[in-house]
C-alpha cells in the first residue's frame, strides 16, 4: 500500500515538475473560460434573473466552479498523457517499470486533480469575493475533490484510448463542450421535461454542479448525486484498466 | 554459457499480419546479440514482447527463467530498454529524467544521487545533465536514454536500432559504450539494419526477414557457411553476379577460368549483406 502510494507520487512527480516550470501560464489559461462565463452569464445575462430567493450570480458561481473543475481536471490529465503516450513515448517507460498499472492510472489522474483544484480554488476565491453568500463547507470541498477525481479519470481514459491529437479535440468538442452548457451549470434542471432530465442526469457534470450548488447555498444535499459521482469514477477507472490491458495486446 | 533469453515458437500477429512467426531463439548471458533485418522484419515487435510492452499471440518468451507475461513483474526488474524512438520526457532535463527512472525503480534518494552522478560520468554527459533533453544532439540524446535505462543496473540491455540517425563519430562512440557495458557484465540485445554494426559489435547475429529467423550464428560462421570470399562479375555490362568461395585460392582459380570478355571483377571478403541477399534474394535496405 505504501509502495503503491509512493509509485503514484512518482508518476505525479514528473508532471509536477512541468507544472512548477509553467505554473503561471497553466493557471492563467485554465482561468480564461470560467472568467468569461462568469462575466457573460453572471453579470451580462443574469442581472435581474433569480431563482426563488437565490440571485443568478449566487446560482451560477457553483456551476462555473464545477465546470472549471471538469475542464481543467480533464485536460490536465488527458493532454499530458496524450503527449506522453503518442508524442514523447515516455509513457512506455512507466509501463516497462515495476510500477503497477493501478498506480500508473491513479498517478496520471493525480496531475488532473491537482490542476483542477488549483483553478477551482482560484475561481472559488473570486466567487466568494463577489458573492459572500456562498458557504464553503467541508461537504462542498469534498464534492469538489470528488468531481476533480472523476473528470481526471475521464481524461486518463480518453488519453489512453485515442490515437491522435485530433481525437482529443474531437472528444472535447463533441462531449465536453455540450456537457459544459447543459449540465445544470447555467440553468436549473427542475423546470425541464422528464425526458430531458433523464438525459442530463446521465452526465457526470450535472451531479457535480448539483452537489456543489446545494452545498454552497446550504440547500438539502443531493447524496445520490455524490454517489453517482463515485459510480462514474469507478466506471472510468475500470475503463482505464481495460484500455491499458487492450493496448498491450 | 547460461541461457538468458529463450523464445519458443514465439509468434506475434497484428490482425492478419504476423510480425514475428515461430521464433525459436536463445540468447546467452554475457553476449552481445544482434538482430539484423530490414524495416518491418519484426525486430521492434520482438523487443516489445521481450520487454513486456506487448503480449505474444502464441508461444513462450522467458528472461532468466521468468515468463514475460506471467512473471512480468520479475522481468521488469531485470531489463533496461532503449527504444527505437526517443522515449524521454522532453519537458524535463537529463538529470530529472534519470531521477524519474530511478524513482520508477524504487531507488532511494541517496543511492539515486550516487548512481546518477556515476552514470553521467560513465557516458560523459556531466556537463549536459541539467540541459533540457530537446537541446541535446542526437548522440547525446541516445546516451541520455541509455543512462536512464541503466539506472537500476539491469542484467540485460535492449537497444532498438541505437545508431539510426547518428553521424559516424557519434556512432563509433556509442559502439564503444556498448562494448564497455558488455565488458562490465551486461548482456546486450540489439537490433539494427546496418550490416557494419552487426559485424562490428555482435558476438552472434540472428537475421530476420518478414518475421522469420532465417539465419543464426557468429558473423564469421555465417560468412564461412556462405563462402568467405565473394567474387563479383559484371554480366553483359548490366547485371552483377555474385559467387562465393571458401578461400582466396578457390576464388582466384574461378576468376582465371572465366572467359576473357568477363568484366569488372572484384574479389573481396564476404559480409553479412551477402548472407542476407543469398537467403532472401533482397538487400537489407530494400523493403
Ligand atoms: N502496433 C502495430 N499494429 C499493426 N501492425 C504492426 C504494429 N507494430 C508493428 N506492426 C507490423 O509488424 C511488422 C513488423 O514491424 P516491426 O517489428 O516494427 O519491424 P522492424 O522493427 O524490424 O522494422 C510490420 O509489418 C509492421 O507494419
Ligand atoms: Mg523497428
Amino acid at each position: 500500500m505504501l509502495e503503491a502510494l509512493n509509485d503514484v507520487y512518482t508518476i505525479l512527480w514528473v508532471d509536477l515538475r512541468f507544472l512548477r516550470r509553467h505554473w503561471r501560464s497553466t493557471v492563467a489559461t485554465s482561468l480564461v473560460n470560467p472568467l468569461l462565463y462568469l462575466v457573460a452569464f453572471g453579470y451580462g445575462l443574469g442581472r435581474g434573473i433569480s431563482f426563488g430567493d437565490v440571485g443568478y450570480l449566487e446560482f451560477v458561481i457553483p456551476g462555473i466552479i464545477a465546470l472549471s473543475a471538469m475542464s481543467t481536471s480533464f485536460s490536465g490529465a488527458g493532454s499530458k498523457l496524450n503527449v506522453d503516450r503518442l508524442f514523447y513515448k515516455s509513457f512506455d517507460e512507466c509501463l516497462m517499470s515495476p510500477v503497477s498499472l493501478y498506480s500508473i492510472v491513479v498517478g496520471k489522474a493525480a496531475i488532473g486533480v491537482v490542476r483542477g483544484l488549483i483553478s477551482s480554488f482560484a475561481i472559488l476565491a473570486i466567487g466568494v469575493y463577489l458573492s459572500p453568500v456562498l458557504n464553503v463547507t467541508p461537504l462542498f470541498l469534498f464534492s469538489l475533490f470528488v468531481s476533480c477525481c472523476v473528470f481526471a479519470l475521464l481524461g486518463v481514459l480518453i488519453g489512453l484510448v485515442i490515437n491522435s491529437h485530433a481525437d482529443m479535440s474531437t472528444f472535447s468538442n463533441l462531449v465536453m463542450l455540450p456537457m459544459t452548457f447543459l449540465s445544470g451549470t447555467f440553468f436549473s434542471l427542475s423546470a425541464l421535461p422528464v425526458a430531458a432530465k433523464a438525459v442530463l442526469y446521465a452526465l457526470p457534470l450535472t451531479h457535480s454542479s448539483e452537489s456543489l450548488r446545494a452545498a454552497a447555498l446550504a440547500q438539502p444535499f443531493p447524496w445520490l448525486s455524490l454517489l453517482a459521482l463515485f459510480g462514474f469514477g469507478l466506471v472510468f477507472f475500470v475503463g482505464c484498466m481495460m484500455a491499458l490491458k487492450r493496448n498491450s495486446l | 554459457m547460461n541461457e538468458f533469453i529463450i523464445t519458443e515458437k514465439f509468434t506475434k500477429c497484428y490482425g492478419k499480419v504476423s510480425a514475428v512467426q515461430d521464433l525459436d531463439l536463445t540468447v546467452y548471458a554475457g553476449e552481445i546479440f544482434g538482430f539484423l533485418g530490414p524495416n518491418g522484419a519484426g525486430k521492434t515487435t520482438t523487443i516489445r514482447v521481450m520487454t513486456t510492452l506487448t503480449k505474444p499471440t502464441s508461444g513462450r518468451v522467458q528472461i532468466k527463467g521468468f515468463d514475460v507475461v506471467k512473471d512480468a513483474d520479475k522481468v521488469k526488474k531485470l531489463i533496461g530498454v532503449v527504444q527505437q524512438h526517443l522515449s524521454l520526457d522532453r519537458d524535463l532535463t537529463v538529470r530529472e529524467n534519470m531521477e524519474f527512472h530511478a524513482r520508477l525503480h524504487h531507488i532511494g534518494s541517496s543511492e539515486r544521487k550516487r548512481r546518477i552522478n556515476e552514470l553521467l560520468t560513465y557516458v560523459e554527459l556531466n556537463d549536459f545533465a541539467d540541459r533540457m533533453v530537446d537541446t541535446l544532439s542526437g548522440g547525446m540524446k541516445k546516451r541520455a536514454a541509455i543512462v536512464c535505462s541503466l539506472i537500476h543496473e539491469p542484467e540485460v540491455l535492449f537497444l532498438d536500432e541505437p545508431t539510426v540517425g547518428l553521424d559516424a563519430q557519434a556512432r563509433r562512440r556509442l559502439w564503444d559504450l556498448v562494448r564497455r557495458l558488455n565488458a562490465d557484465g551486461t548482456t546486450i540485445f540489439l537490433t539494427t539494419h546496418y550490416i557494419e554494426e552487426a559485424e562490428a559489435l555482435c558476438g552472434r547475429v540472428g537475421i530476420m526477414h518478414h518475421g522469420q529467423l532465417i539465419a543464426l550464428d557468429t558473423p564469421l560462421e555465417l560468412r564461412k557457411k556462405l563462402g568467405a570470399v565473394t567474387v563479383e562479375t559484371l554480366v553483359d555490362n548490366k547485371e552483377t553476379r555474385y559467387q562465393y568461395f571458401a578461400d582466396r585460392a578457390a576464388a582466384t582459380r574461378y576468376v582465371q577460368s572465366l572467359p576473357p570478355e568477363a568484366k569488372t571483377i572484384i574479389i573481396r571478403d564476404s559480409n553479412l549483406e551477402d548472407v542476407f541477399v543469398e537467403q532472401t534474394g533482397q538487400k537489407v535496405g530494400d523493403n
Side-chain angles (χ1 to χ4, degrees), chain A residues 6 16 40 56 67 84 101 103 132 188 214 224:
Chain A
N6 193 30
L16 284 180
Y56 187 67
L67 78 82
D84 285 352
L101 296 183
S103 301
S188 165
L224 271 179

Side-chain angles (χ1 to χ4, degrees), chain A residues 15 29 79 85 124 144 164 196 240:
Chain A
D15 296 334
T29 43
S79 341
R85 194 168 76 88
L124 181 62
L144 184 60
S164 73
C240 291

Side-chain angles (χ1 to χ4, degrees), chain B residues 14 17 19 38-45 84:
Chain B
Y14 290 108
V17 183
N39 286 329
K43 305 182 297 295
T44 299
T45 304
Q84 185 169 357

Side-chain angles (χ1 to χ4, degrees), chain B:
Chain B
M1 277 195 291
N2 286 330
E3 295 165 343
F4 201 79
I5 305 175
I6 300 176
T7 74
E8 285 166 13
K9 293 236 162 272
F10 152 49
T11 298
K12 176 72 194 182
C13 302
Y14 290 108
K16 285 198 187 110
V17 183
S18 46
V20 179
Q21 191 153 23
D22 289 325
L23 180 67
D24 289 309
L25 183 69
T26 304
V27 175
Y28 298 96
E31 73 173 329
I32 302 186
F33 181 86
F35 227 30
L36 177 68
N39 286 329
K43 305 182 297 295
T44 299
T45 304
T46 304
I47 286 199
R48 285 180 71 84
V49 170
M50 287 175 171
T51 57
T52 76
L53 278 177
T54 304
K55 296 193 173 65
T57 310
S58 63
R60 262 194 332 159
V61 179
Q62 290 186 326
I63 297 189
K64 211 180 176 182
F66 298 116
D67 187 278
V68 293
V69 179
K70 282 190 237 108
D71 310 311
D73 293 345
K74 302 231 172 58
V75 169
K76 286 170 174 180
K77 297 200 170 103
L78 298 170
I79 58 171
V81 189
V82 178
Q83 302 219 56
Q84 185 169 357
H85 302 285
L86 186 71
S87 60
L88 299 179
D89 193 313
R90 284 175 246 175
D91 295 321
L92 303 182
T93 64
V94 175
R95 192 189 298 278
E96 286 170 334
N97 267 294
M98 293 175 80
E99 181 169 353
F100 177 49
H101 278 78
R103 284 170 180 269
L104 283 175
H105 286 276
H106 308 132
I107 299 166
S109 94
S110 57
E111 178 69 5
R112 201 154 67 208
K113 285 208 184 77
R114 187 184 66 75
R115 287 200 203 173
I116 289 175
N117 289 327
E118 209 175 275
L119 280 169
L120 283 169
T121 310
Y122 193 78
V123 300
E124 301 161 51
L125 272 181
N126 272 316
D127 297 344
F128 303 92
D130 296 306
R131 295 251 299 255
M132 300 301 282
V133 171
D134 262 340
T135 65
L136 302 180
S137 71
M140 286 191 217
K141 278 184 185 142
K142 246 329 161 216
R143 278 186 279 148
I146 291 176
V147 279
C148 285
S149 70
L150 289 176
I151 198 97
H152 58 292
E153 301 176 339
E155 294 187 31
V156 57
L157 182 63
F158 291 89
L159 296 160
D160 196 357
E161 310 224 7
T163 59
V164 168
L166 301 191
D167 59 47
Q169 217 168 8
R171 173 181 299 184
R172 285 180 192 179
R173 275 185 84 177
L174 205 87
W175 285 357
D176 284 340
L177 175 59
V178 171
R179 289 194 189 99
R180 194 144 49 100
L181 278 168
N182 182 248
D184 292 344
T186 312
T187 304
I188 311 274
F189 184 107
L190 71 82
T191 76
T192 182
H193 64 258
Y194 297 129
I195 305 288
E196 330 79 83
E197 186 155 287
E199 287 182 342
L201 270 182
C202 303
R204 285 191 317 139
V205 175
I207 301 182
M208 286 291 278
H209 183 59
H210 290 323
Q212 284 174 321
L213 187 67
I214 55 172
L216 174 67
D217 216 322
T218 63
L220 187 65
E221 278 305 315
L222 287 172
R223 284 162 45 200
K224 268 200 203 152
K225 272 183 213 159
L226 176 74
V229 178
T230 301
V231 176
E232 295 182 19
T233 35
L234 194 64
V235 182
D236 297 337
N237 254 331
K238 43 180 202 255
E239 193 190 325
T240 314
R241 178 185 294 157
Y242 299 82
Q243 257 142 330
Y244 307 99
F245 299 90
D247 51 34
R248 292 256 161 191
T252 314
R253 273 198 302 280
Y254 167 73
V255 170
Q256 280 162 355
S257 75
L258 286 173
E261 66 271 19
K263 267 206 191 152
T264 321
I265 299 167
I266 299 171
I267 304 179
R268 59 168 173 79
D269 287 341
S270 305
N271 59 34
L272 288 181
E273 173 111 33
D274 301 314
V275 176
F276 184 82
V277 171
E278 280 307 300
Q279 295 274 352
T280 65
Q282 284 180 21
K283 290 208 163 202
V284 177
D286 297 346
N287 281 316

Side-chain angles (χ1 to χ4, degrees), chain A residues 18-236:
Chain A
F18 176 78
L19 187 61
R20 227 165 71 174
R21 276 203 187 101
H22 303 278
W23 71 272
R24 279 188 205 93
S25 59
T26 312
V27 172
T29 43
S30 72
L31 290 184
V32 173
N33 275 344
L35 284 178
L36 283 176
Y37 291 138
L38 194 61
V39 173
F41 293 104
Y43 280 101
L45 189 70
R47 250 177 223 277
I49 306 178
S50 64
F51 293 102
D53 49 0
V54 181
Y56 187 67
L57 192 62
E58 283 81 62
F59 176 87
V60 86
I61 287 173
I64 290 174
I65 291 172
L67 78 82
S68 67
M70 171 186 82
S71 63
T72 336
S73 306
F74 173 80
S75 63
S79 341
K80 184 60 179 22
L81 175 57
N82 194 16
V83 171
D84 285 352
R85 194 168 76 88
L86 300 175
F87 186 51
Y88 293 171
K89 313 267 183 203
S90 57
F91 190 59
D92 280 347
E93 301 296 328
C94 302
L95 295 178
M96 284 187 289
S97 76
V99 170
S100 75
L101 296 183
Y102 298 102
S103 301
I104 292 177
V105 169
V106 177
K108 279 294 168 192
I111 188 64
V113 177
V114 169
R115 286 170 62 164
L117 286 175
I118 292 174
S119 53
S120 315
F121 277 122
I123 296 290
L124 181 62
I126 298 167
V128 171
Y129 171 75
L130 293 176
S131 166
V133 204
L134 298 176
N135 302 296
V136 183
T137 61
L139 203 50
F140 178 91
L141 295 176
F142 184 65
S143 305
L144 184 60
F145 175 71
V146 174
S147 301
C148 289
C149 293
V150 169
F151 292 111
L153 283 168
L154 179 61
V156 175
L157 175 60
I158 300 305
L160 287 175
V161 297
I162 59 169
N163 283 313
S164 73
H165 229 63
D167 290 350
M168 190 80 184
S169 60
T170 307
F171 184 85
S172 291
N173 287 328
L174 287 183
V175 180
M176 303 305 277
L177 192 63
M179 187 146 77
T180 305
F181 287 98
L182 299 177
S183 301
T185 35
F186 298 111
F187 54 85
S188 165
L189 297 184
S190 54
L192 291 178
V194 179
K197 262 193 203 167
V199 173
L200 297 185
Y201 275 106
L203 302 174
L205 184 58
T206 309
H207 299 283
S208 294
S209 53
E210 301 265 286
S211 308
L212 289 173
R213 181 169 297 129
L217 301 178
Q219 294 164 348
F221 189 77
W223 291 100
L224 271 179
S225 281
L226 193 60
L227 197 64
L229 285 176
F230 274 102
F232 278 110
L234 189 65
V235 169
F236 296 155

